Amino acid sequence: MKKGHRTSKPKGNFPRFYGRHAVIAALANPNRTVRKIWGTREALNALDLPPVLPIVYADVADLGRMVPSDAPHQGIVAEVEPLDDVWLGDALEAGQDDRRPVLVLDQVTDPHNVGAILRSAAAFDALCIVTQDRHAPPESGVLARAASGALEIMPWVRVVNLARALDEIAEAGYWRIGLDGEADTTLGEAIGESRVALVLGAEGEGLRHNSMNHCDILAKLPISPRMESLNVSNAAAIALYATASR
């Protein structure tokens, strides 16, 4: 039996994605089911849509009522099914012959931040991101918009128990680095030459004590003392760049 963690799909209504990047990426993903699409004639005519896909022509005002207030839908909205769950064991097996980093998010709940982190993870060729299912946002239009297409290409592992997942990541040969502003060691000093799992904490609270105990080392980003901390999505991008450029 493969080692891994699966969770059930989010309950409730199907997510609605909006904006050209998010919708086009969803249409291009063979693992994504797009159930229906609404758009202006101009926006829909510019797309190569499958003939079996139900489409509804709508004006800008109608589309505006389908998305969060003031969201930039760019004339197109799509209803989609959530992606299938990803096994942690499968993701780690896919990276066993390379040094792509794993990104672990400890109770990062803001969909804008998770979307931005997905985008950075894809840009710097991370292996996957790992979150605790109960303390992470579901797939949504807000998250997909922030990810700018990365939601469709970056494996996202949602686990029940983050500490157990960190143990499994260690067993797969990863050096687990927890990002903590109070650490004595800088990230550059901590990275080394082994495969790396970067562990980042929630907005404001940082890493939980139990997550710190499941890291091999704690490290900080060498930022100016004039600033107390960075937004978690910015910290993730910098950490991924440091890992990629070692």
Side-chain angles (χ1 to χ4, degrees):
M1 179 182 294
K2 291 186 178 180
K3 295 173 66 177
H5 308 275
R6 275 189 187 270
T7 59
S8 60
K9 289 186 178 182
K11 297 178 176 62
N13 297 328
F14 292 103
R16 285 182 177 176
F17 291 178
Y18 52 85
R20 286 183 55 83
H21 284 298
V23 173
I24 290 175
L27 288 166
N29 183 1
N31 297 316
R32 171 78 74 182
T33 298
V34 179
R35 295 169 53 86
K36 191 174 183 179
I37 194 164
W38 297 261
T40 63
R41 287 191 178 276
E42 181 181 12
L44 293 180
N45 289 341
L47 301 179
D48 184 17
L49 298 174
V52 296
L53 178 64
I55 65 171
V56 177
Y57 291 103
D59 60 30
V60 171
D62 290 334
L63 295 172
R65 287 188 283 271
M66 299 175 65
V67 300
S69 178
D70 299 322
H73 55 71
Q74 297 178 304
I76 190 167
V77 176
E79 182 179 83
V80 305
E81 293 185 9
L83 293 172
D84 289 338
D85 294 324
V86 178
W87 287 86
L88 178 57
D90 288 346
L92 295 175
E93 184 177 337
Q96 63 184 353
D97 296 325
D98 59 54
R99 293 203 306 167
R100 285 178 290 167
V102 171
L103 200 59
V104 182
L105 306 182
D106 181 17
Q107 299 195 351
V108 179
T109 58
D110 186 292
H112 296 93
N113 280 335
V114 175
I117 289 168
L118 281 163
R119 186 175 184 177
S120 295
F124 291 108
D125 199 26
L127 177 65
C128 64
I129 73 164
V130 180
T131 65
Q132 188 177 15
D133 188 49
R134 288 185 301 128
H135 299 285
E139 291 185 26
S140 67
V142 172
L143 190 148
R145 172 77 181 181
S148 192
L151 177 60
E152 308 301 326
I153 59 175
M154 176 53 52
W156 181 359
V157 180
R158 306 176 73 103
V159 302
V160 174
N161 188 306
L162 200 63
R164 190 161 62 239
L166 285 166
D167 285 342
E168 186 172 335
I169 289 167
E171 291 171 9
Y174 287 82
W175 180 244
R176 301 164 300 178
I177 304 175
L179 271 289
D180 178 37
E182 302 299 319
D184 296 324
T185 304
T186 65
L187 178 60
E189 296 167 339
I191 287 177
E193 294 300 322
S194 63
R195 291 185 292 176
V196 167
L198 301 166
V199 189
L200 291 91
E203 305 88 350
E205 293 82 5
L207 285 176
R208 292 174 299 157
H209 185 69
N210 191 42
S211 296
M212 289 184 180
N213 289 339
H214 284 80
C215 292
D216 298 296
I217 192 171
L218 299 179
K220 64 182 178 182
L221 298 177
I223 66 173
S224 167
R226 294 180 294 176
M227 290 300 296
E228 180 180 358
S229 64
L230 289 172
N231 174 278
V232 64
S233 64
N234 292 332
I238 294 168
L240 286 165
Y241 170 76
T243 303
S245 61
R246 57 183 166 175

mmCIF file of all heavy atoms in Angstrom, residues 95-102 169-177 187-198 216-217 239-240 242-246:
data_model
loop_
_atom_site.group_PDB
_atom_site.id
_atom_site.type_symbol
_atom_site.label_atom_id
_atom_site.label_comp_id
_atom_site.label_asym_id
_atom_site.label_seq_id
_atom_site.Cartn_x
_atom_site.Cartn_y
_atom_site.Cartn_z
ATOM 1 N N GLY A 95 9.360 13.048 -6.884
ATOM 2 C CA GLY A 95 10.546 13.877 -6.716
ATOM 3 C C GLY A 95 11.764 13.134 -6.225
ATOM 4 O O GLY A 95 12.765 13.769 -5.858
ATOM 5 N N GLN A 96 11.728 11.796 -6.238
ATOM 6 C CA GLN A 96 12.827 11.042 -5.634
ATOM 7 C C GLN A 96 14.136 11.148 -6.399
ATOM 8 O O GLN A 96 15.213 10.890 -5.830
ATOM 9 C CB GLN A 96 12.429 9.570 -5.498
ATOM 10 C CG GLN A 96 12.173 8.850 -6.808
ATOM 11 C CD GLN A 96 11.687 7.419 -6.593
ATOM 12 O OE1 GLN A 96 11.667 6.932 -5.459
ATOM 13 N NE2 GLN A 96 11.299 6.746 -7.664
ATOM 14 N N ASP A 97 14.091 11.551 -7.663
ATOM 15 C CA ASP A 97 15.313 11.642 -8.468
ATOM 16 C C ASP A 97 15.750 13.075 -8.743
ATOM 17 O O ASP A 97 16.591 13.311 -9.612
ATOM 18 C CB ASP A 97 15.117 10.906 -9.800
ATOM 19 C CG ASP A 97 14.883 9.411 -9.611
ATOM 20 O OD1 ASP A 97 15.497 8.851 -8.681
ATOM 21 O OD2 ASP A 97 14.090 8.821 -10.375
ATOM 22 N N ASP A 98 15.196 14.047 -8.038
ATOM 23 C CA ASP A 98 15.600 15.439 -8.250
ATOM 24 C C ASP A 98 15.620 16.170 -6.918
ATOM 25 O O ASP A 98 15.383 15.582 -5.870
ATOM 26 C CB ASP A 98 14.682 16.138 -9.269
ATOM 27 C CG ASP A 98 13.229 16.148 -8.834
ATOM 28 O OD1 ASP A 98 12.941 16.609 -7.717
ATOM 29 O OD2 ASP A 98 12.365 15.681 -9.609
ATOM 30 N N ARG A 99 15.906 17.463 -6.964
ATOM 31 C CA ARG A 99 16.020 18.243 -5.732
ATOM 32 C C ARG A 99 14.960 19.342 -5.649
ATOM 33 O O ARG A 99 15.172 20.365 -5.000
ATOM 34 C CB ARG A 99 17.412 18.869 -5.618
ATOM 35 C CG ARG A 99 18.528 17.861 -5.436
ATOM 36 C CD ARG A 99 19.743 18.493 -4.791
ATOM 37 N NE ARG A 99 20.208 19.671 -5.509
ATOM 38 C CZ ARG A 99 21.088 20.539 -5.017
ATOM 39 N NH1 ARG A 99 21.580 20.362 -3.813
ATOM 40 N NH2 ARG A 99 21.479 21.571 -5.739
ATOM 41 N N ARG A 100 13.827 19.138 -6.294
ATOM 42 C CA ARG A 100 12.762 20.128 -6.184
ATOM 43 C C ARG A 100 12.288 20.228 -4.727
ATOM 44 O O ARG A 100 12.093 19.207 -4.066
ATOM 45 C CB ARG A 100 11.592 19.752 -7.085
ATOM 46 C CG ARG A 100 11.834 20.007 -8.562
ATOM 47 C CD ARG A 100 10.648 19.550 -9.386
ATOM 48 N NE ARG A 100 10.529 18.086 -9.403
ATOM 49 C CZ ARG A 100 9.453 17.434 -9.844
ATOM 50 N NH1 ARG A 100 8.404 18.119 -10.285
ATOM 51 N NH2 ARG A 100 9.440 16.113 -9.834
ATOM 52 N N PRO A 101 12.105 21.430 -4.218
ATOM 53 C CA PRO A 101 11.694 21.579 -2.816
ATOM 54 C C PRO A 101 10.214 21.279 -2.613
ATOM 55 O O PRO A 101 9.391 21.417 -3.524
ATOM 56 C CB PRO A 101 11.979 23.055 -2.522
ATOM 57 C CG PRO A 101 11.808 23.732 -3.852
ATOM 58 C CD PRO A 101 12.326 22.739 -4.866
ATOM 59 N N VAL A 102 9.905 20.837 -1.402
ATOM 60 C CA VAL A 102 8.520 20.695 -0.953
ATOM 61 C C VAL A 102 8.194 21.911 -0.094
ATOM 62 O O VAL A 102 9.019 22.365 0.701
ATOM 63 C CB VAL A 102 8.344 19.400 -0.137
ATOM 64 C CG1 VAL A 102 6.964 19.348 0.516
ATOM 65 C CG2 VAL A 102 8.566 18.179 -1.019
ATOM 66 N N ILE A 169 7.778 13.124 5.126
ATOM 67 C CA ILE A 169 8.680 13.905 4.277
ATOM 68 C C ILE A 169 10.130 13.661 4.690
ATOM 69 O O ILE A 169 11.025 13.524 3.835
ATOM 70 C CB ILE A 169 8.306 15.393 4.352
ATOM 71 C CG1 ILE A 169 6.977 15.637 3.615
ATOM 72 C CG2 ILE A 169 9.398 16.279 3.765
ATOM 73 C CD1 ILE A 169 6.356 16.993 3.872
ATOM 74 N N ALA A 170 10.393 13.593 6.005
ATOM 75 C CA ALA A 170 11.744 13.304 6.489
ATOM 76 C C ALA A 170 12.193 11.914 6.067
ATOM 77 O O ALA A 170 13.348 11.709 5.651
ATOM 78 C CB ALA A 170 11.791 13.442 8.007
ATOM 79 N N GLU A 171 11.291 10.937 6.142
ATOM 80 C CA GLU A 171 11.620 9.567 5.751
ATOM 81 C C GLU A 171 11.986 9.481 4.271
ATOM 82 O O GLU A 171 12.737 8.595 3.856
ATOM 83 C CB GLU A 171 10.449 8.637 6.054
ATOM 84 C CG GLU A 171 10.197 8.419 7.536
ATOM 85 C CD GLU A 171 8.896 7.677 7.797
ATOM 86 O OE1 GLU A 171 8.286 7.194 6.820
ATOM 87 O OE2 GLU A 171 8.487 7.592 8.972
ATOM 88 N N ALA A 172 11.446 10.407 3.482
ATOM 89 C CA ALA A 172 11.752 10.437 2.051
ATOM 90 C C ALA A 172 13.074 11.148 1.757
ATOM 91 O O ALA A 172 13.465 11.265 0.595
ATOM 92 C CB ALA A 172 10.617 11.121 1.289
ATOM 93 N N GLY A 173 13.761 11.625 2.807
ATOM 94 C CA GLY A 173 15.089 12.194 2.625
ATOM 95 C C GLY A 173 15.150 13.702 2.518
ATOM 96 O O GLY A 173 16.143 14.245 2.021
ATOM 97 N N TYR A 174 14.128 14.384 3.011
ATOM 98 C CA TYR A 174 14.116 15.846 2.941
ATOM 99 C C TYR A 174 14.597 16.454 4.251
ATOM 100 O O TYR A 174 14.279 15.972 5.344
ATOM 101 C CB TYR A 174 12.704 16.360 2.628
ATOM 102 C CG TYR A 174 12.281 16.121 1.204
ATOM 103 C CD1 TYR A 174 11.770 14.885 0.817
ATOM 104 C CD2 TYR A 174 12.407 17.110 0.238
ATOM 105 C CE1 TYR A 174 11.395 14.643 -0.489
ATOM 106 C CE2 TYR A 174 12.040 16.880 -1.077
ATOM 107 C CZ TYR A 174 11.534 15.638 -1.428
ATOM 108 O OH TYR A 174 11.169 15.391 -2.734
ATOM 109 N N TRP A 175 15.361 17.540 4.143
ATOM 110 C CA TRP A 175 15.822 18.348 5.270
ATOM 111 C C TRP A 175 14.745 19.396 5.529
ATOM 112 O O TRP A 175 14.486 20.255 4.692
ATOM 113 C CB TRP A 175 17.156 18.987 4.907
ATOM 114 C CG TRP A 175 17.820 19.861 5.903
ATOM 115 C CD1 TRP A 175 18.070 21.200 5.758
ATOM 116 C CD2 TRP A 175 18.387 19.496 7.173
ATOM 117 N NE1 TRP A 175 18.744 21.682 6.854
ATOM 118 C CE2 TRP A 175 18.951 20.655 7.749
ATOM 119 C CE3 TRP A 175 18.446 18.292 7.886
ATOM 120 C CZ2 TRP A 175 19.571 20.653 8.988
ATOM 121 C CZ3 TRP A 175 19.069 18.292 9.120
ATOM 122 C CH2 TRP A 175 19.613 19.448 9.663
ATOM 123 N N ARG A 176 14.096 19.307 6.676
ATOM 124 C CA ARG A 176 12.933 20.145 6.958
ATOM 125 C C ARG A 176 13.366 21.444 7.639
ATOM 126 O O ARG A 176 13.847 21.418 8.774
ATOM 127 C CB ARG A 176 11.948 19.381 7.841
ATOM 128 C CG ARG A 176 11.433 18.084 7.227
ATOM 129 C CD ARG A 176 10.791 17.180 8.267
ATOM 130 N NE ARG A 176 11.757 16.818 9.324
ATOM 131 C CZ ARG A 176 11.461 16.072 10.380
ATOM 132 N NH1 ARG A 176 10.230 15.603 10.533
ATOM 133 N NH2 ARG A 176 12.380 15.799 11.289
ATOM 134 N N ILE A 177 13.177 22.556 6.941
ATOM 135 C CA ILE A 177 13.566 23.872 7.447
ATOM 136 C C ILE A 177 12.318 24.668 7.795
ATOM 137 O O ILE A 177 11.501 24.978 6.928
ATOM 138 C CB ILE A 177 14.396 24.653 6.411
ATOM 139 C CG1 ILE A 177 15.628 23.844 5.988
ATOM 140 C CG2 ILE A 177 14.809 26.006 6.973
ATOM 141 C CD1 ILE A 177 16.427 24.508 4.879
ATOM 142 N N LEU A 187 18.404 31.404 6.474
ATOM 143 C CA LEU A 187 17.982 30.370 5.531
ATOM 144 C C LEU A 187 19.147 29.929 4.659
ATOM 145 O O LEU A 187 19.325 28.736 4.402
ATOM 146 C CB LEU A 187 16.828 30.879 4.669
ATOM 147 C CG LEU A 187 16.317 29.905 3.610
ATOM 148 C CD1 LEU A 187 15.801 28.623 4.247
ATOM 149 C CD2 LEU A 187 15.223 30.554 2.772
ATOM 150 N N GLY A 188 19.969 30.872 4.210
ATOM 151 C CA GLY A 188 21.108 30.522 3.370
ATOM 152 C C GLY A 188 22.057 29.559 4.048
ATOM 153 O O GLY A 188 22.616 28.656 3.413
ATOM 154 N N GLU A 189 22.237 29.730 5.358
ATOM 155 C CA GLU A 189 23.110 28.840 6.118
ATOM 156 C C GLU A 189 22.470 27.471 6.332
ATOM 157 O O GLU A 189 23.169 26.471 6.474
ATOM 158 C CB GLU A 189 23.440 29.471 7.472
ATOM 159 C CG GLU A 189 24.248 30.764 7.374
ATOM 160 C CD GLU A 189 24.284 31.530 8.682
ATOM 161 O OE1 GLU A 189 23.396 31.294 9.539
ATOM 162 O OE2 GLU A 189 25.194 32.361 8.848
ATOM 163 N N ALA A 190 21.157 27.429 6.379
ATOM 164 C CA ALA A 190 20.453 26.198 6.719
ATOM 165 C C ALA A 190 20.205 25.286 5.528
ATOM 166 O O ALA A 190 19.991 24.087 5.710
ATOM 167 C CB ALA A 190 19.117 26.535 7.377
ATOM 168 N N ILE A 191 20.209 25.810 4.331
ATOM 169 C CA ILE A 191 19.754 25.034 3.172
ATOM 170 C C ILE A 191 20.620 23.810 2.904
ATOM 171 O O ILE A 191 20.111 22.700 2.753
ATOM 172 C CB ILE A 191 19.671 25.931 1.919
ATOM 173 C CG1 ILE A 191 18.472 26.866 2.027
ATOM 174 C CG2 ILE A 191 19.548 25.082 0.660
ATOM 175 C CD1 ILE A 191 18.346 27.846 0.882
ATOM 176 N N GLY A 192 21.926 23.979 2.827
ATOM 177 C CA GLY A 192 22.796 22.837 2.548
ATOM 178 C C GLY A 192 22.602 22.300 1.138
ATOM 179 O O GLY A 192 22.134 23.001 0.241
ATOM 180 N N GLU A 193 22.952 21.029 0.957
ATOM 181 C CA GLU A 193 22.910 20.422 -0.374
ATOM 182 C C GLU A 193 21.837 19.360 -0.528
ATOM 183 O O GLU A 193 21.643 18.822 -1.603
ATOM 184 C CB GLU A 193 24.282 19.804 -0.693
ATOM 185 C CG GLU A 193 25.404 20.816 -0.822
ATOM 186 C CD GLU A 193 25.142 21.829 -1.931
ATOM 187 O OE1 GLU A 193 24.597 21.429 -2.987
ATOM 188 O OE2 GLU A 193 25.462 23.009 -1.737
ATOM 189 N N SER A 194 21.153 19.001 0.538
ATOM 190 C CA SER A 194 20.153 17.942 0.462
ATOM 191 C C SER A 194 18.834 18.479 -0.079
ATOM 192 O O SER A 194 18.651 19.685 -0.260
ATOM 193 C CB SER A 194 19.940 17.325 1.846
ATOM 194 O OG SER A 194 19.437 18.294 2.738
ATOM 195 N N ARG A 195 17.909 17.578 -0.313
ATOM 196 C CA ARG A 195 16.567 17.995 -0.711
ATOM 197 C C ARG A 195 15.905 18.694 0.477
ATOM 198 O O ARG A 195 16.067 18.288 1.630
ATOM 199 C CB ARG A 195 15.750 16.797 -1.169
ATOM 200 C CG ARG A 195 16.237 16.221 -2.484
ATOM 201 C CD ARG A 195 15.339 15.111 -2.964
ATOM 202 N NE ARG A 195 15.420 13.946 -2.087
ATOM 203 C CZ ARG A 195 14.674 12.856 -2.246
ATOM 204 N NH1 ARG A 195 13.772 12.809 -3.211
ATOM 205 N NH2 ARG A 195 14.814 11.829 -1.439
ATOM 206 N N VAL A 196 15.133 19.723 0.185
ATOM 207 C CA VAL A 196 14.644 20.622 1.228
ATOM 208 C C VAL A 196 13.121 20.651 1.251
ATOM 209 O O VAL A 196 12.468 20.675 0.205
ATOM 210 C CB VAL A 196 15.196 22.050 1.000
ATOM 211 C CG1 VAL A 196 14.462 23.060 1.854
ATOM 212 C CG2 VAL A 196 16.688 22.095 1.295
ATOM 213 N N ALA A 197 12.570 20.655 2.468
ATOM 214 C CA ALA A 197 11.160 20.968 2.681
ATOM 215 C C ALA A 197 11.105 22.268 3.473
ATOM 216 O O ALA A 197 11.668 22.359 4.576
ATOM 217 C CB ALA A 197 10.460 19.857 3.442
ATOM 218 N N LEU A 198 10.486 23.280 2.915
ATOM 219 C CA LEU A 198 10.347 24.582 3.561
ATOM 220 C C LEU A 198 9.008 24.625 4.281
ATOM 221 O O LEU A 198 7.963 24.397 3.668
ATOM 222 C CB LEU A 198 10.429 25.696 2.517
ATOM 223 C CG LEU A 198 11.726 25.757 1.698
ATOM 224 C CD1 LEU A 198 11.540 26.676 0.491
ATOM 225 C CD2 LEU A 198 12.881 26.227 2.563
ATOM 226 N N ASP A 216 13.850 19.904 11.140
ATOM 227 C CA ASP A 216 15.235 19.581 11.475
ATOM 228 C C ASP A 216 16.001 20.810 11.940
ATOM 229 O O ASP A 216 16.950 20.702 12.717
ATOM 230 C CB ASP A 216 15.934 18.968 10.252
ATOM 231 C CG ASP A 216 15.289 17.666 9.825
ATOM 232 O OD1 ASP A 216 15.329 16.700 10.612
ATOM 233 O OD2 ASP A 216 14.724 17.620 8.716
ATOM 234 N N ILE A 217 15.603 21.981 11.472
ATOM 235 C CA ILE A 217 16.265 23.216 11.836
ATOM 236 C C ILE A 217 15.298 24.370 11.625
ATOM 237 O O ILE A 217 14.399 24.294 10.778
ATOM 238 C CB ILE A 217 17.557 23.425 10.986
ATOM 239 C CG1 ILE A 217 18.412 24.558 11.549
ATOM 240 C CG2 ILE A 217 17.209 23.645 9.511
ATOM 241 C CD1 ILE A 217 19.775 24.662 10.883
ATOM 242 N N ALA A 239 12.084 32.334 -0.041
ATOM 243 C CA ALA A 239 12.658 31.053 0.360
ATOM 244 C C ALA A 239 12.818 30.106 -0.837
ATOM 245 O O ALA A 239 13.822 29.405 -0.959
ATOM 246 C CB ALA A 239 11.797 30.410 1.439
ATOM 247 N N LEU A 240 11.824 30.100 -1.714
ATOM 248 C CA LEU A 240 11.909 29.254 -2.906
ATOM 249 C C LEU A 240 13.039 29.725 -3.832
ATOM 250 O O LEU A 240 13.760 28.906 -4.405
ATOM 251 C CB LEU A 240 10.575 29.261 -3.649
ATOM 252 C CG LEU A 240 9.448 28.458 -3.005
ATOM 253 C CD1 LEU A 240 8.107 28.840 -3.605
ATOM 254 C CD2 LEU A 240 9.700 26.960 -3.168
ATOM 255 N N ALA A 242 15.777 31.304 -2.856
ATOM 256 C CA ALA A 242 17.038 30.938 -2.209
ATOM 257 C C ALA A 242 17.361 29.467 -2.428
ATOM 258 O O ALA A 242 18.524 29.094 -2.646
ATOM 259 C CB ALA A 242 16.950 31.256 -0.717
ATOM 260 N N THR A 243 16.342 28.624 -2.375
ATOM 261 C CA THR A 243 16.537 27.194 -2.589
ATOM 262 C C THR A 243 16.925 26.897 -4.043
ATOM 263 O O THR A 243 17.810 26.087 -4.315
ATOM 264 C CB THR A 243 15.263 26.423 -2.223
ATOM 265 O OG1 THR A 243 14.907 26.717 -0.865
ATOM 266 C CG2 THR A 243 15.475 24.925 -2.347
ATOM 267 N N ALA A 244 16.279 27.603 -4.968
ATOM 268 C CA ALA A 244 16.540 27.365 -6.383
ATOM 269 C C ALA A 244 17.917 27.862 -6.810
ATOM 270 O O ALA A 244 18.529 27.317 -7.731
ATOM 271 C CB ALA A 244 15.473 28.046 -7.243
ATOM 272 N N SER A 245 18.436 28.884 -6.130
ATOM 273 C CA SER A 245 19.692 29.503 -6.557
ATOM 274 C C SER A 245 20.899 29.063 -5.738
ATOM 275 O O SER A 245 21.978 29.611 -5.893
ATOM 276 C CB SER A 245 19.558 31.026 -6.479
ATOM 277 O OG SER A 245 19.298 31.443 -5.137
ATOM 278 N N ARG A 246 20.736 28.051 -4.869
ATOM 279 C CA ARG A 246 21.854 27.620 -4.029
ATOM 280 C C ARG A 246 22.978 27.037 -4.892
ATOM 281 O O ARG A 246 22.748 26.495 -5.947
ATOM 282 C CB ARG A 246 21.387 26.572 -3.027
ATOM 283 C CG ARG A 246 20.749 25.343 -3.628
ATOM 284 C CD ARG A 246 20.257 24.408 -2.564
ATOM 285 N NE ARG A 246 19.357 23.397 -3.132
ATOM 286 C CZ ARG A 246 18.861 22.393 -2.437
ATOM 287 N NH1 ARG A 246 19.141 22.277 -1.146
ATOM 288 N NH2 ARG A 246 18.053 21.504 -2.997
#
